[in-house]
Amino acid sequence: MTGWQRWSALVLASAVASSPAVTAQAASHVFLVQNSGWMEPFYTDPASPYKALVTEVVQAAMAPGDALVLASFNQGLPGAPSPRALLAQQGKPNRNKLRGVLGPLEVGRKPGGKAMADTDLGEAVGGAIDGALGGKPGLVWLFTNNRNSPNNDQATARRNREFYQLIHEGKAIRKALAFPLKMPVQGAQYSAGGLMVYVFAVHEGGARELDALLASGRLKQVITETPARLKPLDQDTVRLVPARVENTPGVRYAVLPDGRLRAELDADRPAAASTPSARITWRLENAMYPYTITSADISAQAALAGEVKPVALQADTVRNLAPGKPQPLASTLSLPVANVPGKWSLAALSTAGSAQVIPGRIEVRLANQRLELSQTFRQRMAELFPGDPLPDIFTPPAQIQGSRAVLPVEVRLQYGAGPLLAMIGGLFALLAAAGALAVAATRGRKVVVIVDGERRTLRTKAGAKSPLYNAAGDQVAELHTTLFGHQLANVREGASVQLADKAGR
């Protein structure tokens, strides 16, 4: 690990931990600014917006509690290490500080002469992941003209492909985006028409940080170009947007503002107790700019409460689905509700009179998928990087033949108050019966028995056993009293004992 890596790694590892208030939300950023010989016009053209762009991207990408390492890079040589840290700190630096750091930055030179430094993109990205981030989650930003030529290697196509393979095959990089920007500059020796800004999300934590940044809209205030997706090409490749829904008895469908589908079921209707179906027309959108899905087999299924059912699609193939040009897709959606709590369940009774929300999903799968780089993107790359073989390195990896996308579904099951009222009524009846039994069990009773022709009146209660004696004082029987009456037990042989009837006879 070089000196810059040890220093920057220490900063990133300790920065967030030093402030407990932001630990859970802070992100780590490494900004790599190319200053090799191929970048000469970006530094020497008086009108070059290169450094100003870096400043504004840093400002947009970072939240107040994030940690940062800003470094220049070209190709590391003995006596001229690369990357070289320019700034490392916790918290977003202000524009004046960034300008003060970037302002003096010039084109790098090889040791012992005036020759301009070469470029090694893989060395820079690898050093940022393993060194500055120390293998931990974060975002690595790369500002480059895509001329990857270590040791002044003229085989830039091969070098670019090696860099691209690092992105696709590197396990640490979970997401990668590229922003092609128009930036015409003229230097003393070279000229350029464009610049590429990459962002690499390291590990799942970095992918979540990138998703949150894109969702915030901060970056779009600086870079308005649509990002080209490099990785992954097998997840969230298409989007299903409900365009028209035909309701069915007992089920009402609605499209939420975030694009999710909501189904409201009335648990008291027979349709909700079976398998409610609906005709839904979707807009199938390609979410993999700059790729066109030239062909793919498509299938879908709905999952709810642990049950999965297929979604019947009108077409089972996709053809020439270009980014930004949705295709209609009709379907029959059957909600799997067999495992949804019934109206007599505890869940239903606890939410009686209101709705219970059950999360579900619709999963779309593409198989035998063929991707092609869109002609529009190729033309734009040719305009920004004339003569550069860059578009070839956007060729999708051959092993990516399938992909999946998930559309969240919210099912609201409306339970009526009838079952709850019935259960409450039954509970009151049960309590009343129990109360009556309790009164009957404790209420004193009067019974008349006849022993040897002598009438006797006894007071007893349910559960009591009363001995009966003759005139000589000998026990001749027992009187057992229950909730339902009286009976004689253990009557002595030869004794005359009997219960008087209701009339006392």
Side-chain angles (χ1 to χ4, degrees):
M1 183 181 293
T2 63
W4 89 275
Q5 292 172 338
R6 283 193 294 269
W7 175 46
S8 55
L10 179 62
V11 170
L12 289 178
S14 62
V16 175
S18 67
S19 180
V22 298
T23 298
Q25 301 173 352
S28 297
H29 300 261
V30 181
F31 296 92
L32 298 172
V33 182
Q34 184 176 348
N35 72 330
S36 63
W38 290 116
M39 297 292 291
E40 180 262 343
F42 293 92
Y43 286 88
T44 59
D45 187 335
S48 171
Y50 180 52
K51 294 178 181 179
L53 173 70
V54 174
T55 298
E56 293 306 315
V57 170
V58 173
Q59 286 287 305
M62 292 190 66
D66 291 352
L68 156 142
V69 167
L70 175 63
S72 62
F73 79 94
N74 39 72
Q75 181 188 10
L77 294 174
S82 176
R84 182 172 65 88
L86 306 174
L87 176 65
Q89 69 174 57
Q90 179 194 344
K92 179 167 66 175
N94 60 41
R95 287 179 174 84
N96 288 335
K97 188 170 187 178
L98 289 170
R99 291 169 185 147
V101 170
L102 292 169
L105 185 63
E106 297 178 343
V107 174
R109 304 285 175 174
K110 294 181 180 180
K114 295 183 178 181
M116 292 186 290
D118 299 327
T119 311
D120 194 332
L121 300 179
E123 176 188 59
V125 174
I129 294 173
D130 298 330
L133 289 175
K136 293 182 172 56
L139 299 180
V140 176
W141 301 80
L142 187 71
F143 300 83
T144 175
N145 69 340
N146 278 301
R147 301 290 291 182
N148 190 23
S149 54
N151 302 317
N152 201 27
D153 188 345
Q154 298 303 307
T156 55
R158 177 171 59 85
R159 288 299 190 178
N160 282 343
R161 180 163 293 280
E162 290 173 356
F163 173 59
Y164 188 66
Q165 288 173 344
L166 168 67
I167 297 170
H168 271 285
E169 298 175 8
K171 301 298 183 183
I173 297 177
R174 300 301 172 87
K175 258 186 186 180
L177 301 177
F179 298 86
L181 306 178
K182 186 175 183 178
M183 189 176 289
V185 287
Q186 178 65 56
Q189 300 188 42
Y190 303 112
S191 64
L195 182 79
M196 190 74 84
V197 179
Y198 292 97
V199 56
F200 306 113
V202 179
H203 301 312
E204 290 301 328
R208 289 192 295 269
E209 292 166 6
L210 180 57
D211 289 342
L213 172 60
L214 296 175
S216 72
R218 299 197 310 267
L219 190 60
K220 200 168 184 62
Q221 296 176 6
V222 177
I223 302 179
T224 58
E225 296 289 338
T226 301
R229 186 196 293 204
L230 296 177
K231 187 179 183 179
L233 297 179
D234 58 356
Q235 299 173 24
D236 301 322
T237 53
V238 294
R239 283 191 293 264
L240 280 179
V241 180
R244 185 167 61 88
V245 182
E246 299 176 12
N247 293 328
T248 55
V251 187
R252 296 180 302 277
Y253 290 91
V255 181
L256 301 179
D258 60 2
R260 288 181 300 138
L261 183 66
R262 171 187 287 173
E264 296 186 0
L265 280 69
D266 186 350
D268 294 330
R269 295 289 295 271
S274 56
T275 305
S277 299
R279 291 277 300 172
I280 300 180
T281 301
W282 310 86
R283 290 199 314 271
L284 182 64
E285 298 180 353
N286 180 352
M288 281 196 298
Y289 176 82
Y291 301 101
T292 293
I293 302 175
T294 58
S295 66
D297 299 329
I298 185 171
S299 61
Q301 61 185 19
L304 181 69
E307 186 185 4
V308 178
K309 292 188 73 69
V311 176
L313 302 176
Q314 187 180 50
D316 57 5
T317 58
V318 176
R319 293 286 183 271
N320 299 320
L321 184 60
K325 296 182 179 180
Q327 295 180 3
L329 181 65
S331 71
T332 301
L333 173 63
S334 298
L335 288 177
V337 297
N339 296 334
V340 169
K343 63 182 180 180
W344 292 101
S345 66
L346 180 60
L349 295 173
S350 64
T351 57
S354 60
Q356 182 186 9
V357 178
I358 302 173
R361 70 182 187 277
I362 296 175
E363 186 175 288
V364 181
R365 291 185 178 273
L366 299 181
N368 302 317
Q369 176 179 264
R370 293 181 58 194
L371 304 178
E372 287 185 2
L373 196 63
S374 71
Q375 289 303 314
T376 302
F377 185 77
R378 285 183 178 274
Q379 293 169 3
R380 179 161 179 76
M381 292 301 100
E383 175 190 349
L384 298 183
F385 306 96
D388 196 317
L390 173 66
D392 293 338
I393 72 170
F394 278 82
T395 302
Q399 69 270 22
I400 297 180
Q401 296 294 320
S403 61
R404 61 187 292 270
V406 175
L407 173 70
V409 177
E410 178 183 286
V411 176
R412 296 171 64 87
L413 198 57
Q414 188 74 35
Y415 294 102
L420 179 62
L421 294 176
M423 179 163 285
I424 291 175
L427 180 60
F428 276 119
L430 183 62
L431 291 174
L437 288 175
V439 170
T442 58
R443 178 173 56 87
R445 302 184 182 186
K446 184 169 66 174
V447 61
V448 177
V449 298
I450 302 173
V451 181
D452 294 336
E454 178 185 355
R455 295 171 58 83
R456 300 178 186 175
T457 300
L458 303 178
R459 293 192 176 277
T460 184
K461 60 183 180 179
K465 297 180 179 180
S466 305
L468 301 176
Y469 301 94
N470 59 15
D474 298 323
Q475 181 174 334
V476 294
E478 277 185 345
L479 176 66
H480 292 183
T481 302
T482 67
L483 287 173
F484 309 102
H486 312 277
Q487 65 180 18
L488 294 172
N490 301 324
V491 179
R492 187 174 178 179
E493 185 179 355
S496 176
V497 184
Q498 60 187 19
L499 294 172
D501 59 22
K502 292 182 179 180
R505 298 188 294 273

